[in-house]
Amino acid sequence: MAENVDTATANTSSGFFNRFISERSTRELIIGLLFASPYLTLFAVFMLYPLAKGLYMSLFEWNFLRPSESTFVGVGNYARLLSDPVFWNALWNTLEFVAMTVPLIVGLSLVLALGLNKELVGDRLLQFLYFSPYVLTVSVVGLIWVQMFAEGGIGTFLLGSLIEGSPLNSNLWAMPSLVITTVWWQTGFYFAILLASRQNVPERLYEAARLDGAGPWRMFRDITLPHMKNGLLFVVIASTIFQFQVFGQPFVMTRGGPSGETQTLVYYLYQLGFETRQLGFGSAVGYTLLAILVVVSALNYYIVGTNNE
Amino acid sequence: MSNSSASNRFVDRIGRERLSRIALYVVMYGIAIAFFIPFWRMFQLSVTPAGLVASGEFFLIPSDVTFAYWERFLVQEPIIYQWAFNTFLIASITTFLVLVVDSMIAFSLTRLKWPGRSVVLGVILASFMIPGYVNIIPLFTVVNNLGMVNSYWAIILPFAAGPLGVFLLVQFFRDIPKELEEAARLDGFSPFRIYAQIIMPLSTPILTALGLFVFIWSWNQFLWPLIVLNNDQLYTLPIGVVTLRSVNALAPNVIMTSLALASLPLFIVFLLFQDKLISSVQMQAGTG
């Protein structure tokens, strides 16, 4: 590629002045595209094309082994989805998971960020401990917490008086167990972002407020929160979108059980695509999930954006 | 402050400040200990003899210690080395590819003038809206048609062209002064030399941060390798430890040893690059 670019440079500098302008812009287009093409090729093949193909597939009863023998069903897959109890159950479970996880993660990471901003002894160690679960992979996280919730585990030890056996086998406690696991795993990431956001609030604002006799709560409400608005907005939206796609925790810890209580949307997507091979219907579920996520992030942006005004 | 309040109120205030300081330490260290317990549980079980685990009793420090399980994975059944090698190879190639491909297009979008480049940037940034997992079914058929199932490329290529790197690098490249480049151009530098010898060296900090984040992200990938790999010689660590679980269903200490081994490499990376990694996370907030 270096050679191509070098000859292009040589051509113009040797100079046909009357055709200089147009030649120059074609040359710029060629060099520009040369630099962009590796990314654009990957982007087209693995992002744009599957996106279009998914929409197409969702209109068929897709035959995985012989795609040409797929049957066109129009919006049939979407109609089927509306009357599919498994889909509604998965959607409900996902919403339940998000509704518990996101406030806990945002709240806890805010507490940690505000606390660590106060120059504590050993703050690097604390930061290390809060963040460290985030560098683990979801399967390691899931399997550790399976043991936490097993007999003799600390999780069960603490919840012991409330339930018998492992909470992962309890209809009521399985989902909250996945929530606790996720909060442990993910909080460090959002804590790091909020810590940076808090450290960007100018200290002189607090000094001025203190001189005016403002208490801690007023300073928090009138200075800290408004100045951390962008950080908080990012944390709420990013964690909502990420948690909506929960898969590894139920896959590793509960297999979607007990009796479907922890089956989530992406888990259902996985089962349709790679266990029962209903690729057409699965694509319809994927597209529905995409639509839900676009609406959710727009709503999030709207609600969080106006509340902190 | 002190002259406006009575002296006993002042003392009271000092006392209250000290009290809230103590409470702060209790809360912050309390949460840190709670965060550490699962790690402790993992390590503790990996050195606890099977008999003690089977008793199902709760203990913080086991009364007896064995390194038999560590020995089993490190010496007797070294499949975990193969998995670690696969994971390392995939994460390294992915990181290298992302850095090269993303920096090239970011260079093109910020430093070269060609028609349509703002549209291209807009489309790439719009893909932030599309969460990775919704697309896995059509993506799998694409990868399958390309004959890449059960190969490293199936994991490396599909997520190499993400929007995050482009976004971060475009912002960074924009702030590099034009003068440097113009001087180089007068010296007869080609665009390729400007990219390789001026822009890239100046961008080392952001490239390191992005690379570190991509490496860890790739190392920890779970759902996608689970779909495209079904040969245990090709497994990555995240997939491998799950399959071990089904083989050793009743031996938590064996599982915990494999988990400790699987998480050790990234822990070392995190220890070495704590600040770099945390700042690479913090940069991402700018993408919201």
Side-chain angles (χ1 to χ4, degrees), chain B residues 46-235:
Chain B
S46 78
V47 296
T48 306
L52 212 55
V53 175
S55 73
E57 269 165 44
F58 173 78
F59 51 82
L60 272 182
I61 297 165
S63 54
D64 193 11
V65 165
T66 171
F67 288 97
Y69 308 110
W70 286 78
E71 200 194 322
R72 172 174 170 178
F73 282 113
L74 291 174
V75 184
Q76 291 160 5
E77 297 172 27
I79 183 89
I80 209 151
Y81 292 115
Q82 178 70 42
W83 294 343
F85 174 76
N86 296 344
T87 321
F88 179 78
L89 195 69
I90 290 171
S92 307
I93 298 177
T94 305
T95 308
F96 177 77
L97 194 67
V98 167
L99 291 182
V100 171
V101 164
D102 284 8
S103 63
M104 280 175 70
I105 193 170
F107 174 76
S108 178
L109 291 170
T110 54
R111 295 290 161 158
L112 304 171
K113 291 189 184 63
W114 45 281
R117 64 187 195 285
S118 55
V119 179
V120 169
L121 181 62
V123 171
I124 293 171
L125 293 186
S127 75
F128 257 125
M129 291 287 282
I130 296 153
Y133 287 172
V134 301
N135 229 356
I136 47 172
I137 291 177
L139 185 61
F140 178 77
T141 65
V142 170
V143 167
N144 188 45
N145 291 343
L146 291 171
M148 293 196 306
V149 169
N150 263 329
S151 81
Y152 296 150
W153 294 112
I155 304 175
I156 295 167
L157 294 179
F159 296 100
L164 177 69
V166 178
F167 176 81
L168 293 175
L169 293 175
V170 159
Q171 285 198 319
F172 193 88
F173 287 0
R174 258 184 201 149
D175 293 341
I176 297 176
K178 279 265 187 285
E179 289 75 22
L180 288 169
E181 192 187 331
E182 274 154 16
R185 200 160 276 164
L186 288 178
D187 285 346
F189 273 47
S190 66
F192 183 77
R193 279 184 73 191
I194 294 176
Y195 160 78
Q197 296 180 358
I198 296 178
I199 302 289
M200 288 301 264
L202 283 173
S203 312
T204 323
I206 190 135
L207 291 171
T208 325
L210 176 65
L212 201 56
F213 189 78
V214 171
F215 185 85
I216 288 177
W217 176 86
S218 170
W219 183 287
N220 283 337
Q221 251 189 309
F222 183 67
L223 174 56
W224 185 246
L226 186 72
I227 292 169
V228 292
L229 298 180
N230 44 44
N231 169 348
D232 68 351
Q233 290 297 313
L234 292 173
Y235 281 162

Side-chain angles (χ1 to χ4, degrees), chain A residues 117-118 223:
Chain A
N117 187 52
K118 302 251 178 212
I223 302 174

Side-chain angles (χ1 to χ4, degrees), chain A residues 38-93:
Chain A
Y39 183 95
L40 292 181
T41 309
L42 290 170
F43 189 74
V45 174
F46 296 108
M47 181 79 195
L48 296 181
Y49 175 61
L51 205 60
K53 192 178 178 185
L55 191 58
Y56 179 74
M57 285 170 76
S58 75
L59 304 176
F60 286 85
E61 205 149 289
W62 194 263
N63 188 327
F64 175 62
L65 295 174
R66 281 176 295 275
S68 56
E69 290 173 22
S70 304
T71 348
F72 182 78
V73 291
V75 292
N77 283 325
Y78 293 94
R80 178 181 153 196
L81 184 135
L82 290 177
S83 57
D84 177 12
V86 186
F87 169 77
W88 288 108
N89 176 50
L91 176 62
W92 172 251
N93 290 339

